[in-house]
Amino acid sequence: KLSALCSTGMALVCLLGLAGALLVAAAFPFSYLWIDRLPQAMHTEARHALVLIALGVPLVVATAALRGILEGFQRFRLLNFIRVPAGIALFLAPCASAWFSPRLDWAIGALLVTRLVVVAAHALPCAGLVRLAASQVRREWIAPLLHFGGWLTVSSVLGPVIVYIDRFVIGAMLSAASMAYYSAPFDIVSRLLLIPVALTSALFPALTRAQGTDPLAARGLRRRSLQLTLVVVVPLAALGALIAEPAVRLWLGAEFAAQSAGVMRILLLGFVFNAAAQIPFAAMHGHGLTRQTALLHLSELPLYLAVLILLVQSHGLEGAAIAWTLRALVDWAALTWLLTTFERKQLSTNKIAGNDARLRHEA
């Protein structure tokens, strides 16, 4: 079944990547309004750059799907061997092209070639794990993949909106300078989320398997993962809160430290809640419950926006940080409640099914 599932998924991803490329291509006529404002000598390279960007969309999407297959087989060491040089190459490629020419299309062309190599680096090990072929595509996998991926896309779109909406509110209600005082500590705290996200990326395939075969082991795995996450992030947040004022002063100066240190301390508390929420979030997706998480984020957005506006009005930048921290706390609590409710219903259903089977056997 894995070959059929992966082949069907890759076929859908390739079609979606092609649709993305066509969407970018369809925007070409509108881009000429922008291109015409450039110096005449840059018109050609700007148009070439847009074409190359469109060609790059399927490569980026295909790489993500191939990476998902390797993550499913828990080949994280191999992924790191690919990801580290690939990440370096994606920075060095345009630098190398700039050595020969300052043209933008050359730089993007170098990136495109690098992307092709990265796709091949993911595809070769995948071919040794599953058979990816058009003959393996199965219609029965299309609906569940689109359902799962569609709702997951809703969450993926809402995520950046929730993350960046506070900047828009601060800019609109306070000032551009205030937005800078808020963005600096927020960017530091958001980078720290790479730690729990890396953990849950490794946790997801193991957790999905355990939830399907041994619910008790899955709960134990979640508990240990949460403990590990908190053991790492709580001391990190405490240390960050302790050194927030001198660190920001050393980095950005006394004025920034006066405005941003308090914001950073509040955001670090939200970081702890956000890190803890990654565990039930991964578990929900392991159960296939992407619709529930997407609907939760849809319901959170207007409430968060209302609280954000009220707190920015009353407490300024620290109010924005409090709103973000409260949203992270509510998100963790709601995801945990949804997960617990689902597993209780699942356990009750399994018990009823087991009793019915036992009664039929006795009869």
Side-chain angles (χ1 to χ4, degrees):
K1 288 184 178 180
L2 279 175
S3 292
L5 171 61
C6 293
S7 295
T8 307
M10 284 302 302
L12 288 172
V13 161
C14 289
L15 288 173
L16 290 170
L18 181 61
L22 293 174
L23 190 63
V24 174
F28 286 174
F30 303 100
S31 68
Y32 293 149
L33 296 172
W34 160 68
I35 290 174
D36 288 342
R37 296 175 188 168
L38 297 173
Q40 184 67 35
M42 294 183 67
H43 286 193
T44 301
E45 68 179 274
R47 292 190 181 97
H48 289 171
L50 289 172
V51 173
L52 292 169
I53 288 171
L55 292 175
V57 172
L59 298 178
V60 174
V61 176
T63 302
L66 292 167
R67 185 171 64 245
I69 294 173
L70 293 174
E71 287 179 350
F73 282 98
Q74 298 182 296
R75 301 301 175 93
F76 297 107
R77 183 183 300 174
L78 173 63
L79 277 168
N80 282 329
F81 281 130
I82 296 172
R83 188 174 294 176
V84 172
I88 294 170
L90 287 170
F91 280 99
L92 289 183
C95 291
S97 74
W99 185 265
F100 298 101
S101 171
R103 289 176 62 96
L104 178 65
D105 50 357
W106 278 47
I108 296 177
L111 282 173
L112 196 64
V113 172
T114 307
R115 285 285 181 189
L116 277 169
V117 175
V118 172
V119 170
H122 284 81
L124 288 173
C126 283
L129 296 169
V130 290
R131 188 181 171 213
L132 297 175
S135 60
Q136 292 290 315
V137 174
R138 298 289 182 269
R139 185 180 298 176
E140 61 266 22
W141 284 114
I142 295 176
L145 282 169
L146 289 176
H147 180 270
F148 185 95
W151 285 109
L152 192 61
T153 301
V154 173
S155 288
S156 299
V157 170
L158 286 174
V161 173
I162 291 172
V163 167
Y164 289 106
I165 199 169
D166 47 4
R167 255 65 70 88
F168 287 99
V169 171
I170 290 168
M173 297 182 65
L174 300 178
S175 65
S178 297
M179 188 164 62
Y181 293 136
Y182 182 84
S183 296
F186 190 94
D187 286 343
I188 295 171
V189 172
S190 63
R191 295 296 183 273
L192 295 177
L193 281 171
L194 289 172
I195 298 168
V197 168
L199 172 65
T200 50
S201 295
L203 172 67
F204 180 71
L207 188 58
T208 303
R209 184 187 300 119
Q211 287 176 167
T213 57
D214 190 347
L216 190 63
R219 283 195 291 274
L221 182 58
R222 287 205 304 267
R223 184 174 61 253
R224 293 194 302 275
S225 299
L226 180 59
Q227 289 169 350
L228 176 61
T229 300
L230 293 177
V231 162
V232 173
V233 302
V234 170
L236 196 60
L239 177 64
L242 191 65
I243 66 169
E245 199 275 336
V248 176
R249 190 192 316 120
L250 181 65
W251 179 33
L252 295 170
E255 185 182 350
F256 255 90
Q259 298 284 344
S260 300
V263 171
M264 187 171 179
R265 292 188 185 101
I266 299 168
L267 290 174
L268 283 167
L269 179 60
F271 157 67
V272 174
F273 296 140
N274 212 330
Q278 301 299 317
I279 308 300
F281 185 73
M284 291 283 287
H285 287 174
H287 282 299
L289 303 176
T290 52
R291 182 173 70 89
Q292 286 82 346
T293 56
L295 291 175
L296 172 64
H297 290 148
L298 274 172
S299 62
E300 280 180 3
L301 181 58
L303 294 173
Y304 170 52
L305 181 58
V307 171
L308 177 64
I309 291 171
L310 289 173
L311 287 176
V312 169
Q313 279 181 334
S314 59
H315 293 83
L317 293 179
E318 292 189 352
I322 292 169
W324 189 83
T325 299
L326 287 174
R327 187 207 62 80
L329 174 59
V330 169
D331 195 50
W332 179 23
L335 285 167
T336 302
W337 178 77
L338 285 171
L339 178 63
T340 304
T341 303
F342 172 80
E343 290 189 336
R344 280 177 182 166
K345 288 181 180 178
Q346 190 181 47
L347 181 62
S348 177
T349 303
N350 290 342
K351 283 183 178 178
I352 293 169
N355 289 336
D356 288 346
R358 180 176 55 81
L359 290 171
R360 284 196 299 271
H361 178 71
E362 290 175 355

